[in-house]
Amino acid sequence: MIGTKEKVPSEIAYLPNGDIKWGSLIAPHVWRYQWTKLELDPRRTGFGDGEVGEDGDAVGDDDDGTEMQQGIALVPTGSARQPVDIIADYLKQVKAHLLKALDAQYGKELWRTLPITLVVTVPAVWSDAAKDRTLQAVSKAGFNQSELPQLKQTLTTTEPEAAAIYTIKQLQGSVQAAQLNIGDGFVICDLGGGTVDLISYKVAGLEPTLVEEATVGTGDHCGGSFVDRSFLLWLEKRIGAHTFMTIAGCRAQDISHVALPPKIGRMLQEFTLSAKSGFSGSELYWLRLPAPLSAIEDPERGMCDGELLIEAADMMEMFEFSVPRTLRLLSEQLQDARRTGNANIKYIFTVGGFAESPYMFNRIAEFATSQGYIAVKPAYAWSAVVRGACTKGLERRIAPTASSPPTTSSTVLNRKSRRHYGTVCNRKFVAGKHRLAESYMCPYTGTWRADQQADWLIHQGQVLSTAPGSVHGKITFFYSFWEDHKRVVTVPLLASDRVSAPTRARDQHVYKVAELRIDLTCVPKDMFVAQRSPQGKPYHTLSYEVEIVVSSVLEFSLTVNEKRYGSVTAKYM
């Protein structure tokens, strides 16, 4: 164990005897999985050229025969470990530790009589599929009602929103709060291990402070773990590829994003605890070298007395993947706020574990000053997300009063949709408007229709209320069924990140988010209207609506004549 730390490393190790070690309990020489969270979202940013393929990375065998292929960890027994399973195993350890701590703090009986609210945070930049995989891992870990009967509700929130809630609470009575009036705003820059998420908020109410999103949130995969990856690339460059391979077993570019060879893991651990966390722009560091490198004396490569010299210029180089991307995101947020005029931005608040880096904060502060803004790092910035998540859970438990009507249960009144959401539909064919290749004759009515058209329920930048019961999008389907067909419909949920939503479902800027399975078997038969095709074949039609709510995750419901029937389930791509 490396000692007591405020934040537990998101690492897990599977030992040959079947035991599992996690966090700081992993010995330095043990192969561990880390950065696995990045594997939940296939849209990752890499190094150098910028993009990493969706199939993941492959690394060479270690001493135990473990390897990584296409994002799946193959353990010595030959069984595959998917990222969701690795994260679930890690969260199982967290759950066991949590229950042990609750037993010690409150006794085994008392806390088990109290209702529990679970708040799950996800990076806002993640795809909807990645968010769904997160919830799968949470449930597999035992955070569900079957294993935790006291669990009454599970909430999800994006990490920047949780950080914003914490920041707002911290602002109460502060100097910064005195400078914020209704209409003023601030940017939350959430610097995490894998992602950097940014969003601007406008003050919508005072005493208590209420905010709403002023811009569409942005983000990128350029968090603190990318400094770690840059360190590995620098290390190979400094000591040479052949020397590097004696301790890594492969080239730096081939080291897995989720698992590290033991000696490399130990060096990275020491680098993270000393150089990365303490560097402010001018310091130099000596890093211990493992055998056989510790016996090399080569001043030209900075290798002396079993240690390797890391100069300030080297450290700056390692940050040069994350810094430019973060500053670009900040610039885009500020430009968007100015362009729309939605908020008078005054502050940039940096939160998240990576915000504790003095060098990262200094670079952001320099940028903010040059643009006429003030950068502030709130107290306990490293835990702003989890503290904000706890606050969100408590907000949902507080009953409304006469002075606080139940218009919303959140400090954040409104959000903005990050993308367009819709589905595929067919329309009456219009020559000159629709493509001939998209035309077909409807077998039910005998009329010419245009297939593969996009019907958008929600538009990018659309204001999304957080008030209970809010519905953000609604689409009406008019569906036909032959008499012998099962009354279950599958439709694609589409999305587009373009400012202007495409009109065709097969546009290159349209992608499939999920398959929606709409079960209409429990809708009363008298709700279906009997019809006959031009050839006299009987069929039935039904008009129904699918409603969508966009919060941290997507929620769906089905209504027929304003009554809820059946179910809508989503299978994410």
Side-chain angles (χ1 to χ4, degrees), residues 184-239:
D184 289 341
F186 55 89
V187 177
I188 291 290
C189 183
D190 178 23
L191 302 158
T195 60
V196 172
D197 285 310
L198 292 94
I199 194 161
S200 302
Y201 289 93
K202 177 176 70 175
V203 177
L206 300 172
E207 297 182 359
T209 302
L210 300 174
V211 299
E212 57 187 17
E213 292 184 4
T215 61
V216 175
T218 54
D220 198 355
H221 289 75
C222 56
S225 63
F226 290 88
V227 176
D228 302 344
R229 298 291 297 183
S230 293
F231 163 73
L232 297 180
L233 295 174
W234 170 88
L235 180 61
E236 180 186 87
K237 181 180 177 182
R238 172 57 59 88
I239 66 178

Side-chain angles (χ1 to χ4, degrees), residues 375-390:
V376 178
K377 184 176 71 173
Y380 306 106
W382 65 272
S383 58
V385 171
V386 69
R387 291 170 186 264
C390 291

Side-chain angles (χ1 to χ4, degrees), residues 249-291:
C250 63
R251 297 290 300 274
Q253 65 188 27
D254 296 324
I255 290 180
S256 166
H257 278 263
V258 294
L260 291 177
K263 291 182 179 180
I264 287 293
R266 186 169 189 171
M267 290 188 70
L268 181 59
Q269 185 180 82
E270 184 175 339
F271 166 79
T272 301
L273 292 175
S274 57
K276 177 184 171 183
S277 61
F279 181 68
S280 64
S282 59
E283 298 86 353
L284 56 84
Y285 298 90
W286 287 94
L287 190 66
R288 286 181 299 171
L289 291 167

Side-chain angles (χ1 to χ4, degrees), residues 150-173:
Q150 306 92 324
L151 182 62
K152 300 304 179 184
Q153 61 176 338
T154 298
L155 308 177
T156 58
T157 185
T158 63
E159 292 172 357
E161 180 168 309
I165 293 172
Y166 168 74
T167 302
I168 290 164
K169 298 302 181 184
Q170 287 292 105
L171 283 175
Q172 305 293 343

Side-chain angles (χ1 to χ4, degrees), residues 124-147:
V125 70
W126 267 4
S127 65
D128 296 295
K131 295 174 183 178
D132 181 66
R133 293 184 194 112
T134 302
L135 294 179
Q136 290 179 37
V138 169
S139 181
K140 281 188 174 183
F143 288 100
N144 53 57
Q145 286 191 315
S146 62
E147 294 192 34

Side-chain angles (χ1 to χ4, degrees), residues 365-562:
E366 290 170 2
F367 170 83
T369 301
S370 70
Q371 300 291 313
Y373 305 100
I374 301 173
V376 178
K377 184 176 71 173
Y380 306 106
W382 65 272
S383 58
V385 171
V386 69
R387 291 170 186 264
C390 291
T391 302
K392 183 181 179 72
L394 291 172
E395 286 178 338
R396 296 291 292 264
R397 298 283 296 276
I398 299 175
T401 64
S403 60
S404 176
T407 56
T408 180
S409 60
S410 175
T411 303
V412 180
L413 297 179
N414 296 303
R415 305 184 183 97
K416 286 183 178 289
S417 178
R418 290 185 170 229
R419 57 186 63 90
H420 306 279
Y421 288 104
T423 188
V424 64
C425 70
N426 63 71
R427 305 185 190 278
K428 182 179 179 180
F429 182 80
V430 178
K433 178 180 179 181
H434 299 118
R435 297 174 180 176
L436 186 61
E438 297 169 342
S439 65
Y440 74 101
M441 180 177 285
C442 177
Y444 297 100
T445 64
T447 60
W448 285 94
R449 309 285 295 180
D451 197 11
Q452 295 300 317
Q453 305 303 297
D455 195 355
W456 300 106
L457 297 81
I458 293 172
H459 289 274
Q460 186 182 84
Q462 178 178 327
V463 175
L464 309 173
S465 173
T466 62
S470 296
V471 174
H472 301 140
K474 184 183 295 186
I475 188 169
T476 300
F477 290 91
F478 190 76
Y479 216 85
S480 300
F481 305 85
W482 299 116
E483 285 195 332
D484 57 343
H485 282 189
K486 190 174 182 180
R487 297 182 180 184
V488 176
V489 182
T490 301
V491 297
L493 177 67
L494 307 177
S496 177
D497 298 318
R498 298 281 287 184
V499 175
S500 179
T503 59
R504 292 179 172 85
R506 287 178 175 168
D507 188 281
Q508 63 177 330
H509 300 295
V510 175
Y511 56 93
K512 186 185 292 186
V513 174
E515 288 280 357
L516 300 183
R517 185 179 185 275
I518 305 170
D519 189 349
L520 301 169
T521 55
C522 63
V523 177
K525 292 185 178 181
D526 59 7
M527 306 286 279
F528 292 82
V529 179
Q531 305 275 7
R532 284 189 178 273
S533 70
Q535 291 75 31
K537 186 176 180 179
Y539 68 95
H540 288 84
T541 62
L542 178 70
S543 177
Y544 61 94
E545 292 180 329
V546 172
E547 298 175 343
I548 181 172
V549 177
V550 182
S551 53
S552 302
V553 293
L554 301 177
E555 301 172 15
F556 309 94
S557 59
L558 168 68
T559 60
V560 181
N561 289 345
E562 299 184 352

